[in-house]
Amino acid sequence: MHTTSFQTFRFACIYMLTIPLAFMIPPLIASSGYQGWIGIVIGGAVNIVLILCTHKLGKMTAGQSWADFGEKIAGKWGHRAVLLLLVFWSVYYVSLDIEQFSLFYGTIYMRETPSWVLQLMIGLVILVTARWGFATLVYIADGTFIIILLGIVFLLILFSADADYQMLPALITRYDSRIVFNDVISVISWIGEWFIFLFIAPQIPFDKKTLRNLLLSNTLVTFSVLLTWLLVLLNFGIHYGSQLKYPILQLIRGTSFTGLIGHADPVFIGLWATSMIIHDAFLIYVGVACIGHLLKLQEKKPLNAILVGTATVAAFQYSQNISWFQKEITEAGFIFFWVAINGIPLYYLILALVRGQLGRKKVH
């Protein structure tokens, strides 16, 4: 399949928005209060650098798979160490998502259902979707993009009516320079995974259109996160807003509207679940590409079951200690690990510069 640049835009938006809109807002309000918008804006600007690095590396691959091409920049063992780390990262990420979704669905709708049942069901759906391949993920993203975009506009119109605009001056008057750096690092850890598009380099023409659409998707992602953060803050305030577990769901349930609009949460849950499946299936796709290269395997489909199964078991272990799980994902070590992973294109570009490969359109 040959993916067009605009399909890349839609897929990138779906992938990048799924997790931060669901879980990023309350921790950011808790850590930064009224100045969270500064971290979001600066984080979006830093993402531009990561996208430029990703695009430059994509141009150098000359149609090769990134799992193969990276060796020509970082060396055989250096690149293999990175791929092994990404296998761990992708499985770890999927396990977090499975536990987050099972915890959400179990506490809101299916309280009597054992967590392992929900985790197994989610794992099976991710496995089936991952086995369909990247082309199917792109088509699903195409189908859900417009609906999700309309949903974001719907949220803006719906919840701006109940917002307390008297808080707006505090966005400028409440400022503490000591927490800006931590806020930016936190934002990048949530919405800075642009390196992951290197793994579909054979399907993406890394030309000016692709660069434009990746930058456009970053703009849309940053804008959507910023407005969602602002709506949660203006509707619930700092204290309650920082304690919310599922901000969009609480926004819908807390609205003054009644009827269909006031009970639209099942629609948004369905859209989010679909986006999460796309997100996690693509992570498994990346993990399979990495481990397939490491083991030199021709047939990679059985690896889907191994990685999804490992992620599901890890999610079950998290469910045995919920307080530890919720504490871990907000710790500094967790955040810096994610930022270190997101900086992969920058590391490779520096290596290419040091080795005199940066000026070449492709590396032999």
Side-chain angles (χ1 to χ4, degrees):
M1 173 192 171
H2 184 73
T3 305
T4 67
S5 59
F6 195 61
Q7 282 180 313
T8 305
F9 162 73
R10 296 192 292 267
F11 180 80
C13 290
I14 295 295
Y15 177 87
M16 299 299 296
L17 279 173
T18 297
I19 304 304
L21 286 187
F23 305 114
M24 171 185 168
I25 307 303
L28 185 60
I29 293 177
S31 64
S32 61
Y34 289 103
Q35 69 178 63
W37 65 273
I38 300 175
I40 296 173
V41 171
I42 297 178
V46 173
N47 281 341
I48 294 176
V49 177
L50 296 178
I51 290 172
L52 292 174
C53 293
T54 301
H55 181 261
K56 180 64 176 179
L57 290 174
K59 288 177 64 177
M60 294 170 63
T61 61
Q64 289 182 274
S65 167
W66 172 251
D68 298 326
F69 176 80
E71 289 187 1
K72 299 176 182 179
I73 295 178
K76 180 178 180 180
W77 295 109
H79 184 59
R80 288 187 174 187
V82 172
L83 293 183
L84 186 62
L85 181 63
L86 288 180
V87 173
F88 167 77
W89 173 80
S90 61
V91 173
Y92 183 32
Y93 204 159
V94 173
S95 70
L96 295 176
D97 288 351
I98 292 175
E99 172 58 17
Q100 290 275 26
F101 188 81
S102 62
L103 182 61
F104 159 74
Y105 214 78
T107 55
I108 302 296
Y109 295 104
M110 302 178 69
R111 298 181 181 179
E112 302 300 323
T113 304
S115 59
W116 66 267
V117 174
L118 295 173
Q119 292 161 354
L120 182 60
M121 292 172 59
I122 298 167
L124 287 174
V125 175
I126 294 173
L127 173 60
V128 171
T129 308
R131 286 178 64 87
W132 285 342
F134 174 70
T136 302
L137 297 181
V138 171
Y139 291 138
I140 297 174
D142 282 347
T144 57
F145 173 77
I146 297 299
I147 302 175
I148 290 177
L149 187 61
L150 291 175
I152 293 173
V153 175
F154 172 78
L155 282 175
L156 294 177
I157 297 173
L158 182 62
F159 303 123
S160 59
D162 295 329
D164 182 5
Y165 294 103
Q166 294 182 355
M167 296 187 208
L168 286 177
L171 300 182
I172 301 175
T173 58
R174 304 285 183 89
Y175 175 73
D176 185 353
S177 60
R178 294 173 296 179
I179 64 175
V180 171
F181 176 77
N182 291 335
D183 289 345
V184 173
I185 292 298
S186 178
V187 169
I188 295 173
S189 72
W190 285 100
I191 58 173
E193 298 161 27
W194 299 99
F195 78 92
I196 206 165
F197 296 102
L198 288 171
F199 285 89
I200 48 178
Q203 291 83 17
I204 294 181
F206 274 88
D207 52 16
K208 291 183 179 180
K209 290 184 179 179
T210 297
L211 176 60
R212 180 193 64 197
N213 283 299
L214 285 176
L215 292 173
L216 183 60
S217 63
N218 176 59
T219 302
L220 180 60
V221 168
T222 304
F223 183 70
S224 300
V225 170
L226 178 62
L227 287 181
T228 304
W229 169 85
L230 185 61
L231 284 173
V232 172
L233 183 67
L234 297 182
N235 277 271
F236 298 111
I238 289 181
H239 178 69
Y240 187 45
S242 64
Q243 297 179 352
L244 293 175
K245 290 184 178 180
Y246 314 110
I248 293 181
L249 182 64
Q250 294 301 114
L251 278 172
I252 295 174
R253 292 184 170 183
T255 181
S256 60
F257 289 87
T258 58
L260 180 61
I261 294 179
H263 297 84
D265 47 307
V267 177
F268 283 91
I269 291 169
L271 289 174
W272 175 59
T274 303
S275 300
M276 192 199 75
I277 296 302
I278 295 173
H279 180 273
D280 289 351
F282 186 55
L283 286 172
I284 295 298
Y285 173 87
V286 171
V288 167
C290 292
I291 199 170
H293 176 81
L294 291 171
L295 300 178
K296 303 297 182 183
L297 298 177
Q298 297 297 325
E299 179 56 48
K300 299 179 181 180
K301 285 190 176 180
L303 296 175
N304 289 293
I306 295 173
L307 296 188
V308 174
T310 304
T312 305
V313 172
F316 176 74
Q317 297 300 318
Y318 276 126
S319 66
Q320 304 305 299
N321 193 335
I322 301 301
S323 60
W324 176 66
F325 167 73
Q326 293 178 334
K327 179 183 178 181
E328 179 182 351
I329 61 177
T330 58
E331 289 184 343
F334 176 92
I335 293 172
F336 277 97
F337 171 68
W338 241 249
V339 173
I341 292 292
N342 293 343
I344 284 176
L346 182 59
Y347 313 147
Y348 274 80
L349 213 58
I350 293 174
L351 280 174
L353 177 63
V354 170
R355 300 180 66 177
Q357 300 171 334
L358 194 58
R360 309 176 193 175
K361 291 186 177 180
K362 66 177 181 178
V363 179
H364 297 284

